[in-house]
Short mmCIF file of all heavy atoms in Angstrom, two decimals:
data_model
loop_
_atom_site.label_atom_id
_atom_site.label_comp_id
_atom_site.label_asym_id
_atom_site.label_seq_id
_atom_site.Cartn_x
_atom_site.Cartn_y
_atom_site.Cartn_z
N MET A 82 21.13 -29.90 57.55
CA MET A 82 20.85 -28.51 57.34
C MET A 82 21.62 -27.70 58.37
O MET A 82 21.60 -28.02 59.56
CB MET A 82 19.35 -28.27 57.46
CG MET A 82 18.96 -26.92 57.02
SD MET A 82 17.19 -26.53 56.91
CE MET A 82 16.30 -28.00 57.18
N ALA A 83 22.29 -26.67 57.93
CA ALA A 83 23.06 -25.81 58.82
C ALA A 83 22.51 -24.39 58.77
O ALA A 83 22.15 -23.89 57.71
CB ALA A 83 24.52 -25.80 58.40
N THR A 84 22.44 -23.76 59.93
CA THR A 84 21.96 -22.38 60.02
C THR A 84 23.04 -21.53 60.67
O THR A 84 23.60 -21.92 61.69
CB THR A 84 20.66 -22.31 60.85
OG1 THR A 84 19.67 -23.13 60.23
CG2 THR A 84 20.14 -20.89 60.93
N THR A 85 23.33 -20.39 60.08
CA THR A 85 24.30 -19.46 60.65
C THR A 85 23.65 -18.08 60.80
O THR A 85 22.77 -17.72 60.03
CB THR A 85 25.56 -19.33 59.78
OG1 THR A 85 25.19 -18.90 58.48
CG2 THR A 85 26.30 -20.65 59.68
N ASN A 86 24.13 -17.33 61.78
CA ASN A 86 23.63 -15.98 62.03
C ASN A 86 24.79 -15.01 62.02
O ASN A 86 25.84 -15.28 62.62
CB ASN A 86 22.93 -15.90 63.39
CG ASN A 86 21.73 -16.79 63.45
OD1 ASN A 86 20.77 -16.58 62.73
ND2 ASN A 86 21.78 -17.81 64.30
N LYS A 87 24.60 -13.89 61.34
CA LYS A 87 25.61 -12.84 61.31
C LYS A 87 24.97 -11.52 61.71
O LYS A 87 23.83 -11.24 61.33
CB LYS A 87 26.21 -12.70 59.92
CG LYS A 87 27.01 -13.91 59.49
CD LYS A 87 27.62 -13.71 58.13
CE LYS A 87 28.40 -14.96 57.74
NZ LYS A 87 29.13 -14.79 56.50
N LEU A 88 25.71 -10.71 62.45
CA LEU A 88 25.28 -9.36 62.78
C LEU A 88 25.94 -8.43 61.78
O LEU A 88 27.17 -8.44 61.63
CB LEU A 88 25.70 -9.00 64.21
CG LEU A 88 25.42 -7.57 64.65
CD1 LEU A 88 23.92 -7.29 64.68
CD2 LEU A 88 26.03 -7.31 66.02
N VAL A 89 25.13 -7.64 61.09
CA VAL A 89 25.64 -6.72 60.08
C VAL A 89 25.31 -5.30 60.53
O VAL A 89 24.14 -4.95 60.74
CB VAL A 89 25.02 -7.00 58.69
CG1 VAL A 89 25.57 -6.01 57.66
CG2 VAL A 89 25.28 -8.43 58.26
N LEU A 90 26.35 -4.48 60.70
CA LEU A 90 26.20 -3.09 61.11
C LEU A 90 26.64 -2.18 59.98
O LEU A 90 27.69 -2.39 59.39
CB LEU A 90 27.06 -2.81 62.34
CG LEU A 90 26.87 -3.73 63.55
CD1 LEU A 90 27.89 -3.39 64.62
CD2 LEU A 90 25.46 -3.62 64.08
N ALA A 91 25.84 -1.16 59.69
CA ALA A 91 26.19 -0.20 58.64
C ALA A 91 26.25 1.20 59.25
O ALA A 91 25.40 1.58 60.07
CB ALA A 91 25.17 -0.23 57.51
N PHE A 92 27.25 1.94 58.84
CA PHE A 92 27.49 3.29 59.34
C PHE A 92 27.75 4.24 58.18
O PHE A 92 28.15 3.81 57.10
CB PHE A 92 28.74 3.33 60.24
CG PHE A 92 28.69 2.47 61.45
CD1 PHE A 92 29.07 1.13 61.39
CD2 PHE A 92 28.26 2.98 62.66
CE1 PHE A 92 29.03 0.33 62.51
CE2 PHE A 92 28.23 2.18 63.79
CZ PHE A 92 28.62 0.85 63.72
N GLU A 93 27.60 5.52 58.45
CA GLU A 93 28.10 6.54 57.53
C GLU A 93 29.51 6.86 58.00
O GLU A 93 29.73 7.14 59.19
CB GLU A 93 27.23 7.79 57.59
CG GLU A 93 27.69 8.89 56.67
CD GLU A 93 26.80 10.11 56.76
OE1 GLU A 93 25.57 9.94 56.76
OE2 GLU A 93 27.36 11.22 56.85
N GLY A 94 30.47 6.82 57.08
CA GLY A 94 31.85 7.11 57.44
C GLY A 94 32.15 8.59 57.40
O GLY A 94 31.37 9.39 56.87
N SER A 95 33.29 8.98 57.94
CA SER A 95 33.67 10.39 57.99
C SER A 95 33.87 10.99 56.61
O SER A 95 33.75 12.19 56.43
CB SER A 95 34.94 10.57 58.83
OG SER A 95 36.02 9.88 58.23
N ASN A 96 34.16 10.15 55.61
CA ASN A 96 34.34 10.67 54.25
C ASN A 96 33.05 10.58 53.43
O ASN A 96 33.06 10.78 52.23
CB ASN A 96 35.49 9.95 53.54
CG ASN A 96 35.22 8.47 53.31
OD1 ASN A 96 34.13 7.98 53.57
ND2 ASN A 96 36.22 7.76 52.82
N GLY A 97 31.93 10.22 54.08
CA GLY A 97 30.65 10.15 53.40
C GLY A 97 30.32 8.79 52.81
O GLY A 97 29.19 8.55 52.42
N LYS A 98 31.29 7.90 52.75
CA LYS A 98 31.06 6.56 52.21
C LYS A 98 30.55 5.65 53.32
O LYS A 98 30.88 5.83 54.49
CB LYS A 98 32.34 5.98 51.61
CG LYS A 98 32.79 6.71 50.37
CD LYS A 98 34.00 6.02 49.77
CE LYS A 98 34.46 6.78 48.52
NZ LYS A 98 35.63 6.14 47.92
N GLU A 99 29.77 4.64 52.91
CA GLU A 99 29.26 3.68 53.89
C GLU A 99 30.37 2.77 54.40
O GLU A 99 31.24 2.35 53.65
CB GLU A 99 28.15 2.83 53.28
CG GLU A 99 27.52 1.89 54.29
CD GLU A 99 26.31 1.16 53.77
OE1 GLU A 99 25.32 1.83 53.45
OE2 GLU A 99 26.38 -0.08 53.69
N VAL A 100 30.30 2.50 55.69
CA VAL A 100 31.21 1.57 56.35
C VAL A 100 30.34 0.46 56.94
O VAL A 100 29.32 0.76 57.56
CB VAL A 100 31.98 2.27 57.50
CG1 VAL A 100 32.89 1.30 58.21
CG2 VAL A 100 32.75 3.46 56.98
N SER A 101 30.72 -0.78 56.73
CA SER A 101 29.93 -1.86 57.33
C SER A 101 30.85 -2.88 57.99
O SER A 101 32.00 -3.06 57.58
CB SER A 101 29.04 -2.53 56.29
OG SER A 101 29.81 -3.16 55.30
N PHE A 102 30.32 -3.52 59.01
CA PHE A 102 31.02 -4.55 59.75
C PHE A 102 30.10 -5.75 59.87
O PHE A 102 28.91 -5.60 60.13
CB PHE A 102 31.41 -4.07 61.15
CG PHE A 102 32.27 -2.84 61.15
CD1 PHE A 102 31.72 -1.59 61.39
CD2 PHE A 102 33.63 -2.93 60.92
CE1 PHE A 102 32.51 -0.46 61.39
CE2 PHE A 102 34.42 -1.80 60.92
CZ PHE A 102 33.86 -0.56 61.16
N THR A 103 30.65 -6.93 59.68
CA THR A 103 29.88 -8.17 59.80
C THR A 103 30.55 -9.06 60.84
O THR A 103 31.76 -9.28 60.79
CB THR A 103 29.82 -8.90 58.44
OG1 THR A 103 29.24 -8.04 57.48
CG2 THR A 103 29.00 -10.18 58.54
N TYR A 104 29.74 -9.54 61.78
CA TYR A 104 30.23 -10.40 62.85
C TYR A 104 29.55 -11.76 62.76
O TYR A 104 28.32 -11.84 62.84
CB TYR A 104 29.97 -9.76 64.21
CG TYR A 104 30.66 -8.43 64.36
CD1 TYR A 104 30.01 -7.24 64.09
CD2 TYR A 104 31.99 -8.39 64.75
CE1 TYR A 104 30.66 -6.01 64.21
CE2 TYR A 104 32.66 -7.17 64.88
CZ TYR A 104 31.98 -5.99 64.60
OH TYR A 104 32.63 -4.80 64.71
N SER A 105 30.32 -12.80 62.58
CA SER A 105 29.80 -14.16 62.49
C SER A 105 29.40 -14.67 63.87
O SER A 105 29.84 -14.14 64.89
CB SER A 105 30.85 -15.09 61.89
OG SER A 105 31.18 -14.68 60.59
N TYR A 106 28.61 -15.72 63.87
CA TYR A 106 28.18 -16.41 65.09
C TYR A 106 27.39 -15.50 66.03
O TYR A 106 27.51 -15.59 67.25
CB TYR A 106 29.37 -17.04 65.82
CG TYR A 106 30.25 -17.85 64.92
CD1 TYR A 106 31.51 -17.39 64.53
CD2 TYR A 106 29.81 -19.07 64.40
CE1 TYR A 106 32.31 -18.13 63.67
CE2 TYR A 106 30.60 -19.82 63.55
CZ TYR A 106 31.84 -19.34 63.19
OH TYR A 106 32.62 -20.06 62.34
N ALA A 107 26.59 -14.63 65.47
CA ALA A 107 25.78 -13.71 66.29
C ALA A 107 24.64 -14.45 66.97
O ALA A 107 24.10 -15.42 66.44
CB ALA A 107 25.22 -12.60 65.40
N ASP A 108 24.27 -13.97 68.13
CA ASP A 108 23.12 -14.52 68.85
C ASP A 108 21.86 -13.94 68.22
O ASP A 108 21.65 -12.73 68.26
CB ASP A 108 23.22 -14.11 70.32
CG ASP A 108 22.05 -14.60 71.17
OD1 ASP A 108 21.12 -15.24 70.62
OD2 ASP A 108 22.08 -14.34 72.38
N PRO A 109 21.01 -14.77 67.64
CA PRO A 109 19.82 -14.25 66.97
C PRO A 109 18.81 -13.61 67.93
O PRO A 109 17.91 -12.91 67.50
CB PRO A 109 19.21 -15.48 66.28
CG PRO A 109 19.72 -16.64 67.05
CD PRO A 109 21.07 -16.23 67.57
N GLU A 110 19.00 -13.81 69.23
CA GLU A 110 18.09 -13.24 70.22
C GLU A 110 18.74 -12.11 71.01
O GLU A 110 18.28 -11.77 72.11
CB GLU A 110 17.58 -14.34 71.14
CG GLU A 110 16.78 -15.39 70.37
CD GLU A 110 16.24 -16.49 71.26
OE1 GLU A 110 16.18 -16.30 72.49
OE2 GLU A 110 15.89 -17.53 70.70
N VAL A 111 19.78 -11.51 70.44
CA VAL A 111 20.47 -10.41 71.12
C VAL A 111 19.48 -9.26 71.32
O VAL A 111 18.60 -9.00 70.50
CB VAL A 111 21.70 -9.95 70.30
CG1 VAL A 111 21.32 -9.35 68.97
CG2 VAL A 111 22.54 -8.98 71.10
N GLU A 112 19.62 -8.58 72.45
CA GLU A 112 18.72 -7.47 72.76
C GLU A 112 19.16 -6.20 72.04
O GLU A 112 20.35 -5.97 71.81
CB GLU A 112 18.69 -7.24 74.27
CG GLU A 112 18.06 -8.40 75.01
CD GLU A 112 17.90 -8.12 76.49
OE1 GLU A 112 17.99 -6.94 76.89
OE2 GLU A 112 17.67 -9.08 77.23
N SER A 113 18.18 -5.39 71.72
CA SER A 113 18.43 -4.13 71.02
C SER A 113 19.40 -3.25 71.78
O SER A 113 20.28 -2.61 71.20
CB SER A 113 17.10 -3.40 70.80
OG SER A 113 17.30 -2.19 70.12
N ALA A 114 19.28 -3.20 73.09
CA ALA A 114 20.16 -2.35 73.91
C ALA A 114 21.61 -2.79 73.79
O ALA A 114 22.52 -1.95 73.79
CB ALA A 114 19.72 -2.40 75.36
N THR A 115 21.85 -4.08 73.65
CA THR A 115 23.21 -4.60 73.50
C THR A 115 23.79 -4.17 72.17
O THR A 115 24.96 -3.76 72.09
CB THR A 115 23.21 -6.13 73.62
OG1 THR A 115 22.65 -6.49 74.89
CG2 THR A 115 24.61 -6.70 73.50
N VAL A 116 22.99 -4.24 71.11
CA VAL A 116 23.46 -3.82 69.78
C VAL A 116 23.71 -2.32 69.77
O VAL A 116 24.72 -1.84 69.23
CB VAL A 116 22.45 -4.22 68.68
CG1 VAL A 116 22.88 -3.68 67.34
CG2 VAL A 116 22.30 -5.73 68.63
N LYS A 117 22.84 -1.54 70.40
CA LYS A 117 23.04 -0.09 70.48
C LYS A 117 24.34 0.25 71.21
O LYS A 117 25.07 1.15 70.80
CB LYS A 117 21.86 0.58 71.18
CG LYS A 117 20.61 0.63 70.33
CD LYS A 117 19.48 1.30 71.08
CE LYS A 117 18.20 1.28 70.27
NZ LYS A 117 17.09 1.92 70.99
N ALA A 118 24.63 -0.47 72.28
CA ALA A 118 25.87 -0.23 73.02
C ALA A 118 27.09 -0.55 72.16
O ALA A 118 28.08 0.20 72.17
CB ALA A 118 25.89 -1.07 74.30
N LEU A 119 27.02 -1.63 71.39
CA LEU A 119 28.12 -1.98 70.49
C LEU A 119 28.32 -0.90 69.43
O LEU A 119 29.44 -0.45 69.18
CB LEU A 119 27.84 -3.33 69.82
CG LEU A 119 28.82 -3.76 68.73
CD1 LEU A 119 30.24 -3.92 69.29
CD2 LEU A 119 28.35 -5.05 68.07
N VAL A 120 27.22 -0.46 68.82
CA VAL A 120 27.29 0.58 67.79
C VAL A 120 27.89 1.86 68.36
O VAL A 120 28.77 2.47 67.75
CB VAL A 120 25.87 0.83 67.20
CG1 VAL A 120 25.81 2.11 66.40
CG2 VAL A 120 25.44 -0.35 66.36
N ASN A 121 27.42 2.26 69.53
CA ASN A 121 27.96 3.48 70.14
C ASN A 121 29.43 3.33 70.50
O ASN A 121 30.20 4.29 70.38
CB ASN A 121 27.14 3.85 71.38
CG ASN A 121 25.75 4.34 71.01
OD1 ASN A 121 25.52 4.86 69.92
ND2 ASN A 121 24.80 4.15 71.91
N GLY A 122 29.84 2.15 70.93
CA GLY A 122 31.25 1.91 71.23
C GLY A 122 32.13 1.98 70.00
O GLY A 122 33.24 2.51 70.04
N ILE A 123 31.62 1.46 68.89
CA ILE A 123 32.39 1.52 67.63
C ILE A 123 32.55 2.97 67.18
O ILE A 123 33.64 3.38 66.78
CB ILE A 123 31.70 0.67 66.54
CG1 ILE A 123 31.84 -0.81 66.88
CG2 ILE A 123 32.27 0.98 65.16
CD1 ILE A 123 31.04 -1.74 65.98
N ILE A 124 31.48 3.76 67.29
CA ILE A 124 31.57 5.18 66.91
C ILE A 124 32.52 5.92 67.84
O ILE A 124 33.37 6.70 67.40
CB ILE A 124 30.17 5.81 66.90
CG1 ILE A 124 29.34 5.24 65.75
CG2 ILE A 124 30.27 7.34 66.78
CD1 ILE A 124 27.87 5.63 65.76
N ALA A 125 32.41 5.67 69.14
CA ALA A 125 33.25 6.37 70.12
C ALA A 125 34.73 6.06 69.95
O ALA A 125 35.59 6.90 70.23
CB ALA A 125 32.81 6.00 71.54
N ASN A 126 35.05 4.86 69.47
CA ASN A 126 36.45 4.45 69.29
C ASN A 126 36.83 4.40 67.82
O ASN A 126 37.73 3.66 67.43
CB ASN A 126 36.66 3.08 69.95
CG ASN A 126 36.48 3.16 71.44
OD1 ASN A 126 37.27 3.78 72.14
ND2 ASN A 126 35.42 2.56 71.94
N GLY A 127 36.16 5.19 67.01
CA GLY A 127 36.33 5.15 65.57
C GLY A 127 37.70 5.56 65.05
O GLY A 127 38.03 5.27 63.90
N GLU A 128 38.52 6.19 65.88
CA GLU A 128 39.83 6.66 65.40
C GLU A 128 40.74 5.51 64.99
O GLU A 128 41.76 5.74 64.33
CB GLU A 128 40.51 7.54 66.45
CG GLU A 128 40.95 6.82 67.71
CD GLU A 128 39.87 6.71 68.78
OE1 GLU A 128 38.77 7.24 68.60
OE2 GLU A 128 40.15 6.08 69.82
N ILE A 129 40.39 4.28 65.33
CA ILE A 129 41.23 3.16 64.92
C ILE A 129 41.00 2.75 63.46
O ILE A 129 41.74 1.93 62.93
CB ILE A 129 41.01 1.93 65.84
CG1 ILE A 129 39.60 1.38 65.70
CG2 ILE A 129 41.33 2.27 67.28
CD1 ILE A 129 39.37 0.06 66.41
N PHE A 130 40.00 3.33 62.81
CA PHE A 130 39.67 2.98 61.43
C PHE A 130 40.15 4.05 60.46
O PHE A 130 40.24 5.23 60.81
CB PHE A 130 38.15 2.82 61.26
CG PHE A 130 37.55 1.78 62.16
CD1 PHE A 130 36.79 2.15 63.26
CD2 PHE A 130 37.75 0.43 61.93
CE1 PHE A 130 36.23 1.21 64.10
CE2 PHE A 130 37.19 -0.53 62.75
CZ PHE A 130 36.44 -0.13 63.84
N ASP A 131 40.45 3.65 59.21
CA ASP A 131 40.84 4.60 58.18
C ASP A 131 39.69 5.55 57.84
O ASP A 131 39.92 6.73 57.57
CB ASP A 131 41.27 3.87 56.89
CG ASP A 131 42.59 3.14 57.07
OD1 ASP A 131 43.39 3.54 57.94
OD2 ASP A 131 42.83 2.17 56.32
N ASN A 132 38.48 5.02 57.79
CA ASN A 132 37.28 5.81 57.53
C ASN A 132 36.37 5.65 58.74
O ASN A 132 35.51 4.77 58.76
CB ASN A 132 36.59 5.32 56.24
CG ASN A 132 35.34 6.10 55.92
OD1 ASN A 132 35.13 7.20 56.40
ND2 ASN A 132 34.50 5.52 55.08
N PRO A 133 36.57 6.46 59.78
CA PRO A 133 35.84 6.26 61.03
C PRO A 133 34.32 6.36 60.85
O PRO A 133 33.84 7.26 60.17
CB PRO A 133 36.33 7.40 61.92
CG PRO A 133 37.60 7.86 61.31
CD PRO A 133 37.48 7.59 59.85
N PRO A 134 33.58 5.44 61.44
CA PRO A 134 32.13 5.54 61.39
C PRO A 134 31.66 6.69 62.29
O PRO A 134 32.11 6.81 63.43
CB PRO A 134 31.66 4.19 61.92
CG PRO A 134 32.80 3.65 62.70
CD PRO A 134 34.03 4.24 62.13
N VAL A 135 30.78 7.54 61.75
CA VAL A 135 30.33 8.70 62.51
C VAL A 135 28.84 8.67 62.82
O VAL A 135 28.38 9.37 63.72
CB VAL A 135 30.69 10.02 61.80
CG1 VAL A 135 32.19 10.22 61.75
CG2 VAL A 135 30.10 10.08 60.41
N LYS A 136 28.08 7.87 62.07
CA LYS A 136 26.64 7.81 62.28
C LYS A 136 26.14 6.41 61.94
O LYS A 136 26.44 5.88 60.87
CB LYS A 136 25.93 8.83 61.40
CG LYS A 136 24.43 8.85 61.55
CD LYS A 136 23.81 9.88 60.64
CE LYS A 136 22.29 9.81 60.74
NZ LYS A 136 21.67 10.71 59.76
N ALA A 137 25.38 5.81 62.85
CA ALA A 137 24.82 4.48 62.61
C ALA A 137 23.67 4.60 61.61
O ALA A 137 22.84 5.50 61.70
CB ALA A 137 24.33 3.87 63.91
N LYS A 138 23.65 3.66 60.64
CA LYS A 138 22.57 3.65 59.65
C LYS A 138 21.64 2.46 59.84
O LYS A 138 20.43 2.61 59.72
CB LYS A 138 23.16 3.62 58.24
CG LYS A 138 23.92 4.89 57.88
CD LYS A 138 24.56 4.80 56.53
CE LYS A 138 23.51 4.89 55.44
NZ LYS A 138 24.11 4.86 54.09
N SER A 139 22.20 1.28 60.15
CA SER A 139 21.35 0.10 60.34
C SER A 139 22.10 -0.99 61.08
O SER A 139 23.33 -1.00 61.11
CB SER A 139 20.85 -0.43 59.00
OG SER A 139 21.91 -0.96 58.24
N ALA A 140 21.31 -1.88 61.65
CA ALA A 140 21.85 -3.08 62.30
C ALA A 140 20.85 -4.19 62.06
O ALA A 140 19.64 -3.98 62.18
CB ALA A 140 22.03 -2.84 63.80
N LYS A 141 21.36 -5.37 61.68
CA LYS A 141 20.45 -6.48 61.40
C LYS A 141 21.15 -7.80 61.63
O LYS A 141 22.38 -7.89 61.59
CB LYS A 141 19.93 -6.41 59.97
CG LYS A 141 21.02 -6.52 58.90
CD LYS A 141 20.44 -6.33 57.51
CE LYS A 141 21.55 -6.32 56.46
NZ LYS A 141 21.04 -6.06 55.12
N ILE A 142 20.33 -8.81 61.89
CA ILE A 142 20.81 -10.19 61.97
C ILE A 142 20.44 -10.84 60.64
O ILE A 142 19.30 -10.77 60.20
CB ILE A 142 20.13 -10.98 63.11
CG1 ILE A 142 20.53 -10.41 64.47
CG2 ILE A 142 20.44 -12.47 63.01
CD1 ILE A 142 21.91 -10.81 64.96
N VAL A 143 21.42 -11.44 59.99
CA VAL A 143 21.19 -12.16 58.74
C VAL A 143 21.34 -13.65 59.05
O VAL A 143 22.38 -14.10 59.50
CB VAL A 143 22.19 -11.73 57.64
CG1 VAL A 143 22.00 -12.56 56.39
CG2 VAL A 143 22.05 -10.24 57.35
N THR A 144 20.26 -14.38 58.81
CA THR A 144 20.24 -15.82 59.06
C THR A 144 20.29 -16.55 57.73
O THR A 144 19.49 -16.28 56.84
CB THR A 144 18.97 -16.23 59.83
OG1 THR A 144 18.94 -15.49 61.06
CG2 THR A 144 18.96 -17.71 60.14
N THR A 145 21.25 -17.45 57.61
CA THR A 145 21.42 -18.24 56.39
C THR A 145 21.21 -19.71 56.74
O THR A 145 21.82 -20.22 57.67
CB THR A 145 22.83 -18.05 55.80
OG1 THR A 145 23.04 -16.65 55.58
CG2 THR A 145 22.99 -18.81 54.50
N THR A 146 20.36 -20.36 55.97
CA THR A 146 20.12 -21.78 56.14
C THR A 146 20.63 -22.50 54.90
O THR A 146 20.27 -22.14 53.78
CB THR A 146 18.63 -22.08 56.34
OG1 THR A 146 18.17 -21.34 57.47
CG2 THR A 146 18.39 -23.56 56.56
N GLU A 147 21.47 -23.48 55.11
CA GLU A 147 22.03 -24.25 54.01
C GLU A 147 21.43 -25.65 54.01
O GLU A 147 21.34 -26.29 55.05
CB GLU A 147 23.55 -24.36 54.16
CG GLU A 147 24.28 -23.04 54.09
CD GLU A 147 25.76 -23.18 54.26
OE1 GLU A 147 26.28 -24.32 54.14
OE2 GLU A 147 26.42 -22.17 54.54
N SER A 148 21.05 -26.10 52.85
CA SER A 148 20.57 -27.48 52.67
C SER A 148 21.49 -28.16 51.68
O SER A 148 21.80 -27.61 50.62
CB SER A 148 19.14 -27.48 52.12
OG SER A 148 18.26 -26.87 53.02
N TYR A 149 21.93 -29.35 52.03
CA TYR A 149 22.87 -30.07 51.19
C TYR A 149 22.16 -31.18 50.41
O TYR A 149 21.20 -31.78 50.92
CB TYR A 149 23.99 -30.67 52.04
CG TYR A 149 24.80 -29.61 52.75
CD1 TYR A 149 24.50 -29.22 54.04
CD2 TYR A 149 25.86 -28.98 52.10
CE1 TYR A 149 25.22 -28.23 54.68
CE2 TYR A 149 26.60 -28.00 52.74
CZ TYR A 149 26.27 -27.63 54.02
OH TYR A 149 26.98 -26.64 54.65
N PHE A 150 22.62 -31.44 49.23
CA PHE A 150 22.05 -32.48 48.39
C PHE A 150 23.06 -33.63 48.24
O PHE A 150 24.25 -33.39 48.09
CB PHE A 150 21.73 -31.93 47.00
CG PHE A 150 20.68 -30.85 47.04
CD1 PHE A 150 21.04 -29.51 47.05
CD2 PHE A 150 19.34 -31.17 47.05
CE1 PHE A 150 20.09 -28.52 47.09
CE2 PHE A 150 18.37 -30.19 47.08
CZ PHE A 150 18.74 -28.86 47.12
N ASN A 151 22.57 -34.84 48.27
CA ASN A 151 23.40 -36.01 48.06
C ASN A 151 23.57 -36.19 46.56
O ASN A 151 22.63 -36.54 45.85
CB ASN A 151 22.76 -37.25 48.68
CG ASN A 151 23.62 -38.48 48.50
OD1 ASN A 151 24.68 -38.44 47.86
ND2 ASN A 151 23.19 -39.59 49.07
N LEU A 152 24.74 -35.95 46.05
CA LEU A 152 25.01 -36.03 44.62
C LEU A 152 25.55 -37.41 44.21
O LEU A 152 25.76 -37.67 43.04
CB LEU A 152 25.99 -34.95 44.19
CG LEU A 152 25.50 -33.52 44.47
CD1 LEU A 152 26.58 -32.52 44.06
CD2 LEU A 152 24.21 -33.23 43.76
N ASP A 153 25.75 -38.31 45.16
CA ASP A 153 26.26 -39.64 44.88
C ASP A 153 25.15 -40.61 44.44
O ASP A 153 25.44 -41.68 43.92
CB ASP A 153 26.97 -40.23 46.10
CG ASP A 153 28.23 -39.43 46.45
OD1 ASP A 153 28.81 -38.85 45.52
OD2 ASP A 153 28.59 -39.41 47.63
N ALA A 154 23.92 -40.25 44.65
CA ALA A 154 22.81 -41.15 44.35
C ALA A 154 22.46 -41.12 42.87
O ALA A 154 22.62 -40.22 42.15
CB ALA A 154 21.58 -40.79 45.17
#
């Protein structure tokens, strides 16, 4: 069984459309203050994006657990 964690951040973009970023290998025990700092840094440096994020909408950790089946039996 394999478990993976991803950090998913959603923003409102400057053109009104949603902008989202997904980061693999996220620490499932990351502190809220650390995520807030990341979100604020992305907004502050938004000029590097075609549709700059201007307002944070959500942040979440998505945990996926995979179970494999033996198909040779």
Side-chain angles (χ1 to χ4, degrees):
M82 191 173 352
T84 301
T85 58
N86 297 296
K87 294 182 180 186
L88 175 64
V89 180
L90 306 175
F92 300 87
E93 180 180 315
S95 63
N96 65 5
K98 293 184 180 180
E99 184 173 297
V100 178
S101 64
F102 302 100
T103 302
Y104 299 95
S105 298
Y106 311 107
D108 179 358
E110 297 181 18
V111 65
E112 293 186 16
S113 180
T115 302
V116 175
K117 287 180 184 180
L119 173 62
V120 166
N121 290 334
I123 290 172
I124 291 171
N126 295 292
E128 68 273 357
I129 65 171
F130 302 106
D131 290 335
N132 180 19
V135 294
K136 180 180 176 185
K138 294 176 72 178
S139 68
K141 62 185 175 184
I142 294 282
V143 176
T144 302
T145 304
T146 302
E147 297 179 15
S148 298
Y149 298 94
F150 297 96
N151 181 357
L152 301 178
D153 294 331

